[in-house]
Amino acid sequence: MKKTFFILIVFLLIIASGYSFYHFKTYTDMPALAKLEYKGMNLVAPIKELKNATFDELKAYHINSISLIPYAFVDVDNASIHYNNKRQWWGERTEGIIASNQLAHDYKMTVMLKPHLWVNHNFYTGNLDFSTDTEWKKWETDYEKYILDFAQLAQKENIELFCFGTELGNAVAKRPEYWFQLIHKIKKIYTGKLTYAANWDDFDKVPFWNQLDYIGIDAYFPLSDATTPAVADLNKAWQQHILKMEKLQAKTKKKIIFTEFGYRNSDQAAKEPWTENQNSINNLAQANAYESLFQSLTKKDWFAGGFAWKWYADEYHKEEKNSVDYTPQDKPALETIRKWYQ
C-alpha cells in the first residue's frame, strides 16, 4: 500500500511539473554525443609572459586543453630551419613552453605541443619542396633536430600529446621513409600520445597513421559559398567530409582529433576557411559555422575533439574590436563553444 501511494505521488509530481512520459521517452531516445577528450584551444604565444588571467578565462569557457606552438623558421634558399631565436616571442621559445605547460597543468588542463614551421607570408608549408636530394637531406636533418629537441622537452615536462608536424603534405608524399624513421626516433624519446596535423585535403594520403595514437586533421573543410550560411545547410555539406573521415577511421581504428579548426568572423566564413580574403564583419557566419561543426561531429564516437584556432594570450586582439580574425574571443561564437564544451 505504501509503495503504491509513493508511486502515485511521484506520478502526480511529474504531471505537476509539466512533464509527460512522452518527454522522458524523447529524452532517453536522444542520440548520445561523443565524449570530447580535447575541448581545446590553440594558444597564440604570449609576447613576454603568460598570466593566470588567461587560464581563468579559458576555464570559464570549459576549455580543458591547450596547444602550445614553438615556431621554427625555414630558410628555403639554404634548406635550413632556425628556432629558439631570442627575437621570437617568449611563448614560442623553450623557456616559454616550459612555463606555459606548467601553468596549464596547475589549472588541470592537458597540453598538446605542436611545432609549426613558418616560411614566409602566403607560402603554404604543404608546398615545401627542394630540387635536389642533398637539399632535402639538409632540411630533414634540421627538422629532425627541431622535432627531437621538443620531443625530449615534451617527455621531460609530461606533456600529454605531441604533434610532430603540421601540414607538410608534399614532404610526406615525396619522402615517406624519412617520416617513418622520424616517428621511430620520437617514440624512443617520448612516451605520451602522438599525432600529426594533416591538412583537410590530404589527410587520407598520410601513410603512417597506424604508427600514431590519433589521426590529426587541420579541419578547414570548404562547406558553403553563402555570405551567412545556415546551420542546416552546413550540416548537409559536412556529410561528404565525414564519409571520407569514417572510411579512414574504419581502416585504421584510430580516433580523429581536429588539431586545428576555426572560422573568421567574416562573410563566407565557411567557403574557404583557410583563406583571409573577406574583411566584412559577419559574426553570425562564424557562430553558425562553429555550431554546425559541433552538431555534425559530436555525434561520432570516433571524434575525440580538437583545438580551435585561436586564442590570444595577450590582449592586443582587443585593440581593434571591429576587426575580422579567427579568434572567437569577444564574439558570439565563443558562447557557442562554451555551450558545446560544457
Side-chain angles (χ1 to χ4, degrees), residues 239-285:
Q239 296 313 304
Q240 61 175 316
H241 304 301
I242 286 173
L243 287 173
K244 193 174 179 181
M245 285 185 272
E246 285 182 333
K247 183 177 180 181
L248 177 62
Q249 197 280 326
K251 180 180 178 181
T252 62
K253 309 302 181 185
K254 305 287 184 179
K255 284 197 170 187
I256 293 175
I257 60 172
F258 285 174
T259 38
E260 292 178 27
F261 65 95
Y263 307 91
R264 300 169 82 234
N265 61 321
S266 70
D267 289 347
Q268 296 184 313
K271 180 181 179 181
E272 294 178 338
W274 64 93
T275 64
E276 300 184 22
N277 299 329
Q278 294 288 338
N279 291 303
S280 298
I281 293 175
N282 191 331
N283 289 329
L284 182 58

Side-chain angles (χ1 to χ4, degrees), residues 82-235:
H82 307 276
Y83 59 99
N84 267 335
N85 191 308
K86 285 297 182 182
R87 289 178 294 177
Q88 287 182 254
W89 287 354
W90 173 85
E92 296 177 359
R93 305 194 305 266
T94 295
E95 60 188 294
I97 296 295
I98 292 172
S100 300
N101 175 67
Q102 181 59 60
L103 194 54
H105 285 170
D106 289 345
Y107 276 78
K108 310 301 181 185
M109 292 185 182
T110 59
V111 173
M112 173 172 72
L113 187 59
K114 187 172 184 280
H116 272 222
L117 293 181
W118 181 269
V119 184
N120 55 44
H121 287 287
N122 299 319
F123 187 103
Y124 171 47
T125 54
N127 295 331
L128 188 69
D129 202 1
F130 299 102
S131 56
T132 68
D133 187 61
T134 299
E135 289 175 304
W136 269 113
K137 287 181 177 178
K138 187 176 186 298
W139 180 85
E140 288 169 347
T141 298
D142 274 14
Y143 190 81
E144 182 173 298
K145 183 180 185 306
Y146 168 51
I147 292 301
L148 294 184
D149 278 355
F150 280 104
Q152 287 178 326
L153 181 69
Q155 180 68 18
K156 181 180 177 183
E157 301 299 323
N158 297 311
I159 293 175
E160 292 83 358
L161 177 60
F162 184 60
C163 179
F164 63 86
T166 298
E167 298 176 11
L168 291 166
N170 188 59
V172 170
K174 281 194 169 183
R175 315 277 291 187
E177 298 84 1
Y178 167 78
W179 297 96
F180 278 100
Q181 66 85 32
L182 179 60
I183 292 167
H184 181 70
K185 288 178 179 176
I186 293 169
K187 287 183 174 182
K188 285 186 175 182
I189 295 170
Y190 176 71
T191 57
K193 301 292 186 180
L194 197 60
T195 192
Y196 164 79
N199 200 41
W200 66 270
D201 61 351
D202 65 12
F203 69 88
D204 58 333
K205 300 177 179 67
V206 175
F208 46 69
W209 289 131
N210 286 328
Q211 304 299 312
L212 310 183
D213 296 287
Y214 298 103
I215 295 168
I217 302 174
D218 283 2
Y220 301 109
F221 295 96
L223 298 169
S224 171
D225 293 346
T227 300
T228 307
V231 173
D233 293 335
L234 292 170
N235 289 351

